Amino acid sequence: MFDTIAALGHEQVVLCSDPGAAYRAIIALHSTRLGPAVGGTRLLAYASDELALLDALRLSRGMTYKSALAGLPFGGGKAVILRPAGAFDRAALLRAHGRAVESLGGRFVTGEDVGISAADLEHVRLETRHVAGLLGGAGDPAPFTARGVLRALEAAAAWRWGSADLRGRRVALQGCGAVGAQLAGALDRLGARLIVADPDATRLAAVTAQTGAEAVAPDEIRLVAADVFAPCALGAVLDDASIAGLRVELVVGAANNQLAEPRHAAELERRGILYVPDYVANAGGILSGAMDLLGLTRDEVERRINAIGDTVRHVLERARADGVTPAAAADRLAEERLARS
Ligand code: NAI
């Protein structure tokens, strides 16, 4: 465990427990070099405690890089709450989490992530000030995230095909949740042709009804012949098996940690697939949190989200200049900012 933490470069990893509230969580602080470690809280059932730890470690590291590249004065952190097996008191669990966050004295500032809604954060807020994205503040980050993914997709399309116009482009969208549904709506309005998948039948039906998208089974979406694969569900979707089955030219999506392992970036490149690093494409969520945390206006946040397309171009130019994958180029740019601080 300590070797893993040292290899990923974390400052601190906190194991939290409050049996009375059925609360067990891991808070990983990767870096506070540029500012407080900012990152969402995820509430999920994990197959093992080790997998939960690995998720927290990888996600928090991703947040350091995401904020650095988005030009924000934040470090990187992440919390994962292990979803209790049986029935549980959600408010009590969330308040226990608030106390754990508060105990870190502002070194960690959290927000939504998978399994946590803006309404859930209100319970966390009862115990700590160190929460962003509350109702009445910036609120749900998903629309901002979706807009940023769209800007990243347009920039990648322009790089690959010489035009940012997505009309008629086939997009295979994995996940019709908060971000996926917003992205589907935006792509539909731009004239893209959508193929979508989600194990949640209600969410899937909402998106197909809204956009006329074709629905396929969750285990088929990665095999669909399309122009773009947009992962907007969980992480580690790009592994040896899935990359071998991909029939697209671009991979651009909101999901965090899309690469199962760093080496998969090279595997995508070898197969002629342009991969936009996840933390570049999905920075809209953290940028919307900056409304609360830095007092940025909505206009300023929207300007910065629209600039995600410029960041993608910058990353792709650097990748070409250095002869490395876009993922490696994005890491280099982020590390350079960290080193300058
Ligand atoms: P969500 O929980 O609202 O949606 C995820 C959706 O994926 C759910 O509808 C779920 O049923 C579906 N799903 C699960 N397994 C699937 C599978 N095998 N195939 C197809 N669909 C599947 O989460 P949200 O907020 O939309 O986030 C999506 C991803 O984007 C996550 O990885 C999250 O970490 C990331 N992200 C989200 C941000 C936000 O602003 N919400 C910001 C940055 C990243």
Side-chain angles (χ1 to χ4, degrees):
M1 184 173 72
F2 281 101
D3 288 347
T4 309
I5 291 169
L8 291 171
H10 286 73
E11 288 177 11
Q12 187 180 10
V13 181
V14 188
L15 304 180
C16 313
S17 166
D18 183 342
Y23 172 69
R24 287 177 167 192
I26 300 164
I27 301 178
L29 305 185
H30 178 257
S31 169
T32 54
R33 190 159 180 160
L34 295 176
V38 176
T41 291
R42 184 168 274 207
L43 172 60
L44 213 57
Y46 285 90
S48 71
D49 295 351
E50 288 72 18
L51 287 176
L53 174 65
L54 204 57
D55 212 21
L57 293 176
R58 294 187 63 204
L59 289 164
S60 54
R61 183 172 182 274
M63 292 306 296
T64 299
Y65 282 71
K66 186 187 308 201
S67 285
L69 211 52
L72 291 169
F74 301 150
K78 202 84 180 188
V80 301
I81 304 177
L82 285 73
R83 192 182 171 88
F88 64 97
D89 180 340
R90 195 171 179 97
L93 180 94
L94 293 163
R95 290 191 69 153
H97 185 53
R99 289 191 291 277
V101 172
E102 180 63 19
S103 76
L104 295 170
R107 276 166 52 76
F108 176 55
V109 180
T110 198
E112 291 171 79
D113 199 83
V114 176
I116 294 284
S117 66
D120 286 334
L121 290 185
E122 296 292 327
H123 295 288
V124 179
R125 178 80 177 102
L126 293 173
E127 304 284 354
T128 181
R129 285 179 297 124
H130 306 300
V131 179
L134 297 163
L135 296 174
D140 184 1
F144 297 94
T145 304
R147 176 128 27 96
V149 173
L150 185 61
R151 294 287 99 87
L153 177 46
E154 288 171 337
W159 183 271
R160 185 63 176 241
W161 300 312
S163 166
D165 189 357
L166 298 173
R167 187 174 307 277
R169 294 284 177 198
R170 280 169 62 86
V171 181
L173 178 66
Q174 181 183 45
C176 300
V179 179
Q182 295 275 343
L183 183 61
L187 286 168
D188 180 52
R189 286 190 290 280
L190 290 173
R193 289 152 65 205
L194 287 164
I195 307 101
V196 297
D198 197 303
D200 183 321
T202 311
R203 288 177 165 185
L204 183 67
V207 167
T208 54
Q210 183 203 354
T211 63
E214 176 192 338
V216 298
D219 54 5
E220 280 172 28
I221 192 73
R222 290 183 287 192
L223 303 170
V224 164
D227 297 299
V228 183
F229 174 52
C232 295
L234 293 177
V237 288
L238 301 170
D239 57 18
D240 291 327
S242 70
I243 292 172
L246 282 178
R247 291 190 290 156
V248 294
E249 292 189 42
L250 304 181
V251 175
V252 188
N256 283 309
N257 290 343
Q258 291 168 30
L259 300 171
E261 295 170 46
R263 67 180 177 84
H264 289 116
E267 190 54 26
L268 285 161
E269 183 142 293
R270 201 181 63 76
R271 293 179 50 88
I273 297 169
L274 177 60
Y275 166 66
V276 173
D278 41 20
Y279 66 78
V280 180
N282 70 17
I286 185 84
L287 283 164
S288 78
M291 262 191 263
D292 288 340
L293 292 169
L294 301 177
L296 297 186
T297 63
R298 197 183 172 99
D299 282 354
E300 173 61 11
V301 164
E302 293 195 349
R303 189 191 65 72
R304 290 186 184 213
I305 289 174
N306 287 332
I308 287 175
D310 300 331
T311 308
V312 169
R313 271 188 297 283
H314 193 186
V315 165
L316 296 176
E317 279 160 7
R318 179 67 183 264
R320 186 159 62 189
D322 288 6
V324 297
T325 64
D331 283 359
R332 281 184 186 183
L333 289 166
E335 281 157 9
E336 284 166 8
R337 169 143 200 252
L338 284 161
R340 278 197 306 272
S341 75

